[in-house]
Amino acid sequence: MPLGWFRVERFRCLSAAELTLGSGVNLFVGPNASGKTSLLEAAFFLGRGRSFRSRSREILIQTGEVEFRLTGESAGGLSPTVLGIRAARGVTELRVGGAAARGFAEMAEHFPVQVIDPDLHKLVEEGPGRRRRFLDWGVFHVEPEFLGTWQRYHAALRQRNSALRQGLEQRALSAWDPELAAAGERLAEQREGYLRRLAGPLQRIGQALLGSEVQLVHVPGWERGRPLLEELAGGVAGDRRYRATQAGPHRGDIGVRLGNRAARGVVSRGQQKLLAASLLLAQLLVLEEERPGRSALLLDDPAAELDEASLERLMSIIRELPVQLWVTSLKPRVAGLPEPDRVFHVEQGRIVAI
Ligand SMILES: Nc1ncnc2c1ncn2[C@@H]1O[C@H](COP(=O)(O)OP(=O)(O)O)[C@@H](O)[C@H]1O
Ligand SMILES: [Mg+2]
């Protein structure tokens, strides 16, 4: 199972909480402002290195304190591994299995975690940033080569952009192009391969949740079919003007289509939520095929987000996913939710198993 136990210290309103979790459904019940979302936020941070509701890390540290700590035992791998984070102003220390970790990718590998929260619809509605992150998180977990490709690409991109900002001559600029183009094309191929794997599960889940076909179309970030090296060479004038490289997978996106038309700006807020939920669930399904029994899905007050019929359909899909669930709710009953393994009461930053 993903997390066997989890300890949160000085994170938002949670001074110190320690939980033993069940491998199936964990339900957290409590009134408003009791700390339910904060707990999910802390779990998400352990696997992702960021919050899902705030860009600032400092705001996560309990008022009056100087750091927060998160510790969890991931039991999904071959042997249980303790993951730890200590985050203070400007300092983050990561530990995996007792040793210092180099980066969040190492943590992420042990705890794939996904969230369905009130911002869910933004995956469909907003700009490409969220969709790229969604895509890359999925590829990262099923394609072992992806992290290396991503790092190679971004290292070359940083160098080329730095040359552009400094207004360096053509030779200094194009020196990066072969590496950038090779890594960029590889990155796009890996994304595309992943989207092919996602297509089947997405179709099934989309039908069940929306009664319509859901499709994802890869947008590579430069003219489809044209070698990236050529595109880079052809775009130098524009790159100089913007002082940044305009073509490549860092500008990539995925088009979300519902029943054969682009969803963005057309479908209702309710449909956006269901579409985004379909994407996330399909992603977890692919991940579970590849590395079973590792992932967790956090559902933040799902009853506030979806009508009862949609919630029941969502839950019937989730029931087939053998992921660990963390569900928050104001009430002890959530429509369609399978029988919880564990129920916790949350009140004024304290979490008690009941
Ligand atoms: N850095 C912080 N330090 C202390 N308390 C905080 C911090 N950030 C938020 N809070 C408080 O935490 C409380 C719980 O919030 P939240 O987890 O969103 O509750 P719930 O999801 O149960 O409604 C809120 O009252 C909020 O003011
Ligand atoms: Mg909340």
Side-chain angles (χ1 to χ4, degrees):
M1 87 167 109
L3 280 199
W5 60 263
F6 185 41
R7 189 167 63 226
V8 184
E9 295 164 274
R10 301 180 290 277
F11 187 95
R12 293 219 192 246
C13 65
L14 306 169
S15 305
E18 187 160 338
L19 321 170
T20 302
L21 296 145
S23 57
V25 179
N26 297 277
L27 178 62
F28 300 90
V29 184
N32 273 321
S34 57
K36 303 182 299 297
T37 302
S38 302
L39 176 72
L40 300 195
E41 203 178 11
F44 189 84
F45 202 102
L46 188 71
R48 293 290 192 99
R50 62 179 176 88
S51 158
F52 55 79
R53 63 171 171 178
S54 154
R55 276 170 186 234
S56 149
R57 190 172 295 190
E58 265 159 43
I59 210 169
L60 306 176
I61 301 173
Q62 189 160 52
T63 309
E65 299 288 345
V66 293
E67 60 171 39
F68 68 77
R69 284 174 193 253
L70 307 172
T71 319
E73 184 180 69
S74 126
L78 290 175
S79 59
T81 306
V82 175
L83 309 175
I85 296 179
R86 185 181 77 84
R89 191 184 283 255
V91 188
T92 310
E93 270 174 27
L94 308 175
R95 297 186 77 77
V96 174
R102 272 165 289 122
F104 269 108
E106 218 178 302
M107 311 271 294
E109 201 153 320
H110 290 276
F111 185 43
V113 57
Q114 193 64 276
V115 66
I116 292 187
D117 73 325
D119 281 346
L120 181 66
H121 62 279
K122 293 184 180 169
L123 185 61
V124 177
E125 185 59 16
E126 285 197 345
R130 277 177 193 263
R131 287 185 294 278
R132 268 198 304 272
R133 268 197 306 210
F134 158 82
L135 181 57
D136 287 350
W137 183 82
V139 194
F140 165 77
H141 279 290
V142 301
E143 169 58 72
E145 269 183 43
F146 179 73
L147 180 62
T149 313
W150 194 94
Q151 287 170 337
R152 248 181 76 199
Y153 178 73
H154 282 86
L157 183 64
R158 265 196 309 278
Q159 299 284 2
R160 191 178 191 270
N161 283 344
S162 155
L164 279 166
R165 274 195 307 276
Q166 293 171 55
L168 295 187
E169 62 183 56
Q170 179 69 31
R171 212 149 31 92
L173 200 60
S174 52
W176 297 104
D177 289 5
E179 167 72 356
L180 190 65
E185 285 186 354
R186 187 80 198 100
L187 194 67
E189 276 164 27
Q190 287 168 345
R191 284 178 176 169
E192 217 147 88
Y194 175 72
L195 286 175
R196 278 195 294 275
R197 287 185 68 170
L198 207 57
L202 186 58
Q203 204 155 19
R204 221 158 356 102
I205 293 171
Q207 277 298 348
L209 270 185
L210 289 131
S212 190
E213 195 173 347
V214 178
Q215 279 180 316
L216 297 181
V217 184
H218 184 224
V219 180
W222 75 96
E223 194 189 316
R224 191 181 297 279
R226 188 179 189 199
L228 181 52
L229 193 61
E230 221 177 277
E231 181 104 0
L232 288 169
V236 170
D239 290 354
R240 284 197 186 284
R241 196 163 53 244
Y242 292 107
R243 294 170 165 261
T245 305
Q246 301 299 302
H250 62 292
R251 302 295 292 269
D253 195 357
I254 33 181
V256 183
R257 301 180 67 80
L258 178 64
N260 263 327
R261 58 182 194 159
R264 201 173 162 204
V266 175
V267 302
S268 71
R269 176 60 60 91
Q271 281 177 312
Q272 285 172 0
K273 288 188 181 201
L274 293 175
L275 260 171
S278 308
L279 263 58
L280 300 184
L281 294 179
Q283 188 163 62
L284 283 174
L285 211 80
V286 169
L287 215 156
E288 280 297 310
E289 278 170 17
E290 189 75 19
R291 305 168 72 200
R294 287 206 167 198
S295 324
L297 174 61
L298 316 176
L299 296 178
D300 195 15
D301 200 359
E305 292 310 307
L306 300 169
D307 60 78
E308 192 153 322
S310 299
L311 191 56
E312 281 186 3
R313 281 201 294 273
L314 182 84
M315 290 298 180
S316 71
I317 297 164
I318 286 177
R319 220 169 301 181
E320 290 169 31
L321 269 172
V323 297
Q324 184 179 49
L325 271 189
W326 304 45
V327 185
T328 68
S329 175
L330 290 167
K331 296 189 199 135
R333 205 193 79 81
V334 180
L337 186 72
E339 190 59 35
D341 288 358
R342 292 229 154 84
V343 181
F344 299 85
H345 188 69
V346 187
E347 185 129 30
Q348 294 187 348
R350 275 188 295 278
I351 306 172
V352 183
I354 50 176

